[in-house]
Amino acid sequence: MKAICVGHVSYDITLPVDKYPIENVKYRINEHIECGGGPASNAAYLLAKWGMDTSFVGTVGADYYGDCIISEFRKIGVNIEYLQQLDDYKTSSSYIVANKSSGTRTIITAKDANKTNVIQGEIDLDGDVILVDGEERDAAERLLKAKKDAISILDAGTLKDSTLALGKMVKYLACSKDFAEAFTKTKIDHYDVKFLSGIHRQLESYFGNQVIITLEAKGAFIKSNTYKFIPSIKVKPVDSTGAGDIFHGALAYFLGNHYELEKAVRLANISGAISVERIGGRFSIPTLEEVLRTSKENEII
């Protein structure tokens, strides 16, 4: 089984704090965490960590952060043949304030707005599973057109032109609550099946594929014979950075290994939930064995 992830890669600097900072006040912390990040990038890292033959398609700069990202991918075994490192590009960076008391995080991302759709030409890779996140849109479209038989997933975090276009090309639209709200112009402030079924139907009608709506700590909402909630497990969060990326990477793994949708989403929920108990996006990725063990302990499978 081979996977290809296409999209955003950044370098994350996480600053854990006991409570959210007040403006115009100086703070000192005893630690900070640095590692690669980005939705498709984190998914690729998880898939390689879990033993899947994985390639990543994206862009970094010829700078310190780019070198660090390349080194991480090589160590975990991600194929980076189509990870372009450009002299005239500045690697995206994200600065994350992780509020340990609430488990929430605030992210400021610095991205080179002058460089988009950098990957040109044919992408000569084999892929049974393809995950895209809306970045490198042209490369993602070419790959999805060339690999129509692959299990394809869009990590739709925000509503924008690229996610609208790619959403119609994939077999699974795994969208955030924010995406669903923006698309349907409906605030999701209650969580009954009838209400969410209406939102799901709007998404399914427009995109014409299997829709998964992620609802953060509440789990996910899907249609599998009937509309249903797929709950997550209860955890004490300290940092939610990367939880969505980890959910999508795990979803790609389990769908790629022929788990039926409901079970794949349940296990992806567990993967994301475990991660929020730890600081740092990529460093919080659980092992596959840990996810399967936790599912048994919670009598999920």
Side-chain angles (χ1 to χ4, degrees):
M1 189 66 61
K2 295 184 177 181
I4 308 170
C5 297
V6 184
H8 183 57
V9 57
S10 68
Y11 194 73
D12 289 357
I13 300 173
T14 301
L15 308 175
V17 296
D18 293 324
K19 60 182 180 179
Y20 194 77
I22 299 170
E23 189 176 359
N24 202 31
V25 175
K26 291 183 179 180
Y27 293 89
R28 177 173 291 179
I29 58 176
N30 296 323
E31 64 171 338
H32 72 281
I33 295 168
E34 300 185 18
C35 60
S41 171
N42 280 338
Y45 193 94
L46 178 146
L47 290 167
K49 181 174 180 175
W50 287 10
M52 189 174 282
D53 184 340
T54 305
S55 300
F56 179 76
V57 179
T59 308
V60 295
D63 49 31
Y64 171 76
Y65 290 163
D67 290 342
C68 289
I69 289 165
I70 287 171
S71 176
E72 283 186 342
F73 274 151
R74 283 176 173 159
K75 286 178 180 177
I76 204 68
V78 173
N79 173 22
I80 54 172
E81 178 184 356
Y82 289 91
L83 173 58
Q84 292 196 7
Q85 189 172 32
L86 303 179
D87 291 331
D88 60 345
Y89 181 85
K90 193 170 184 178
T91 303
S92 296
S93 53
S94 293
Y95 305 89
I96 304 161
V97 178
N99 185 347
K100 294 189 291 183
S101 64
S102 64
T104 58
R105 83 282 188 261
T106 300
I107 303 176
I108 299 174
T109 298
K111 189 176 186 300
D112 191 338
N114 296 318
K115 290 285 184 180
T116 58
N117 294 315
V118 174
I119 308 297
Q120 301 297 318
E122 181 183 1
I123 300 171
D124 186 18
L125 291 169
D126 291 328
D128 306 291
V129 182
I130 299 171
L131 183 144
V132 300
D133 67 10
E135 299 293 322
E136 295 293 351
R137 172 181 170 178
D138 291 352
E141 287 184 344
R142 293 196 305 273
L143 191 61
L144 290 169
K145 287 177 182 177
K147 308 289 182 183
K148 291 184 178 180
D149 292 334
I151 296 167
S152 51
I153 303 165
L154 172 63
D155 175 350
T158 57
L159 183 67
K160 52 189 178 182
D161 289 344
S162 61
T163 48
L164 281 172
L166 293 171
K168 289 190 170 185
M169 299 180 69
V170 295
K171 293 182 172 66
Y172 294 90
L173 173 74
C175 70
S176 67
K177 174 187 169 185
D178 289 345
F179 180 98
E181 288 181 334
F183 181 83
T184 61
K185 298 181 175 59
T186 304
K187 182 70 174 176
I188 299 176
D189 54 8
H190 58 287
Y191 296 90
D192 64 85
V193 171
K194 183 178 180 180
F195 173 72
L196 283 170
S197 297
I199 290 175
H200 193 286
R201 278 193 292 270
Q202 290 184 60
L203 291 161
E204 190 177 44
S205 175
Y206 182 85
F207 290 103
N209 51 21
Q210 186 70 254
V211 174
I212 302 155
I213 305 172
T214 59
L215 299 169
E216 299 164 345
K218 295 186 180 297
F221 190 79
I222 67 169
K223 181 182 177 183
S224 177
N225 297 321
T226 61
Y227 293 102
K228 61 181 69 175
F229 282 101
I230 308 297
S232 188
I233 58 173
K234 292 184 178 180
V235 295
K236 181 174 175 53
V238 295
D239 178 16
S240 59
T241 304
D245 309 341
I246 291 166
F247 172 93
H248 291 94
L251 180 68
Y253 178 88
F254 291 115
L255 289 176
N257 281 282
H258 309 297
Y259 284 65
E260 56 92 19
L261 178 62
E262 183 173 339
K263 185 173 289 187
V265 172
R266 288 186 185 277
L267 290 168
N269 278 342
I270 290 173
S271 305
I274 292 172
S275 76
V276 305
E277 298 179 302
R278 303 162 185 173
I279 299 288
R282 186 162 293 179
F283 293 147
S284 68
I285 295 173
T287 64
L288 175 60
E289 292 74 20
E290 187 178 7
V291 171
L292 296 176
R293 182 176 67 251
T294 303
S295 73
K296 290 180 180 179
E297 290 171 353
N298 286 269
E299 297 182 348
I300 291 173
I301 61 171

